[in-house]
Amino acid sequence: MIIVNLKIYKEAFGEKAVKLAEICRDVSKESGVRIIVASPAVMAVELLKTGVEVFLQDYDEYDEGRFTGMVSAKQAMELGIKGSILNHSENPKKKGTIFKTIKTAPEGFETILCVKSVGQIEKWARRAKVSFLAYEPKHLIASKTASVSSEQPEAIKRAVEASGGIPLLAGAGVKSEEDVRVALKMGAKGVLVASNVVCGKNPKEELEKLVKGFGK
Ligand code: G3P
């Protein structure tokens, strides 16, 4: 499984996001690897039309009612958006907010809860009902030379062990077949990627490299 997080990179504004979504859809179909686009809320419905699987990058602790500017998982689910990242290190939440937010997720809505340190994974795994936990060392995000796999393979392994059976995803600096292979070898179920695919000269080639790490 690969999550392609578009963030709000200008390379994924408007029509460019649609092109990236089509690439993700095609590479997923060709390889059989589940590839999900994590879209900004404003683009999500547009990207769904391509046929790719779309998640949000964040959602809020309110599902419906008199709340302005909030992103509702319930509303997203009704539109066909079946999951979201939550608590990304670029958009961290307070502990209480995370619990409140997760409770609003309707049945079948897949939350990927990002956790800062391996030490915190066990605590979250025990208390939070989420579909995935994600380990992303912040200092390696968008690195052009290193990745979670090259720098912290043992940490991925410990994160997997601490996750109590909740599938673990790893991210930060992931850019090669080898990065994916190492993450999977350490027990991760998939990877989160952003800069190397979204801002890359040839996003399709970059994604094709990554799916090879799954043996595809
Ligand atoms: O959510 C994925 C992201 O934070 C990883 O970013 O640019 O290191 O692939 P990047």
Side-chain angles (χ1 to χ4, degrees), residues 94-109:
K94 290 189 177 139
K95 199 166 76 180
T97 308
I98 294 173
F99 284 122
K100 222 175 141 190
T101 303
I102 290 168
K103 278 195 192 138
T104 71
E107 187 67 31
F109 190 84

Side-chain angles (χ1 to χ4, degrees), residues 134-173:
Y135 173 61
E136 287 200 335
K138 197 174 178 184
H139 67 287
L140 291 170
I141 291 178
S143 168
K144 290 203 185 322
T145 53
S147 73
V148 63
S149 302
S150 66
E151 305 306 297
Q152 303 192 356
E154 285 305 318
I156 300 175
K157 196 173 171 195
R158 278 187 278 119
V160 170
E161 285 160 3
S163 68
I166 299 178
L168 186 108
L169 308 175

Side-chain angles (χ1 to χ4, degrees), residues 42-185:
V42 290
M43 285 298 295
V45 171
E46 195 58 31
L47 300 189
L48 263 188
K49 292 180 196 163
T50 65
V52 78
E53 209 178 338
V54 177
F55 277 18
L56 299 170
Q57 296 173 9
D58 178 50
Y59 65 105
D60 291 300
E61 68 268 40
Y62 303 104
D63 55 358
E64 59 177 70
R66 201 179 66 186
F67 303 105
T68 300
M70 297 294 162
V71 177
S72 155
K74 187 176 180 187
Q75 186 180 33
M77 188 79 172
E78 282 186 21
L79 293 164
I81 298 152
K82 298 187 185 124
S84 181
I85 295 172
L86 184 67
N87 195 42
H88 193 282
S89 60
E90 292 155 5
N91 191 356
K93 307 268 176 180
K94 290 189 177 139
K95 199 166 76 180
T97 308
I98 294 173
F99 284 122
K100 222 175 141 190
T101 303
I102 290 168
K103 278 195 192 138
T104 71
E107 187 67 31
F109 190 84
E110 296 177 76
T111 297
I112 300 170
L113 180 65
C114 297
V115 180
K116 273 187 215 101
S117 68
V118 176
Q120 285 181 12
I121 287 182
E122 203 179 345
K123 286 183 208 141
W124 281 110
R126 260 189 280 119
R127 289 185 288 172
K129 275 195 178 165
V130 291
S131 300
F132 301 94
L133 287 164
Y135 173 61
E136 287 200 335
K138 197 174 178 184
H139 67 287
L140 291 170
I141 291 178
S143 168
K144 290 203 185 322
T145 53
S147 73
V148 63
S149 302
S150 66
E151 305 306 297
Q152 303 192 356
E154 285 305 318
I156 300 175
K157 196 173 171 195
R158 278 187 278 119
V160 170
E161 285 160 3
S163 68
I166 299 178
L168 186 108
L169 308 175
V174 171
K175 58 181 89 40
S176 66
E177 181 184 336
E178 182 63 8
D179 283 338
V180 175
R181 213 193 314 272
V182 168
L184 299 183
K185 194 175 157 207

Side-chain angles (χ1 to χ4, degrees), residues 5 7 88 136 140-142 172-173 192-195:
N5 183 356
K7 306 200 175 184
H88 193 282
E136 287 200 335
L140 291 170
I141 291 178
L192 295 111
V193 299
S195 52

Side-chain angles (χ1 to χ4, degrees), residues 3-15:
I3 313 293
V4 179
N5 183 356
L6 302 184
K7 306 200 175 184
I8 50 166
Y9 280 123
K10 69 173 180 346
E11 289 83 353
F13 274 15
E15 205 40 46

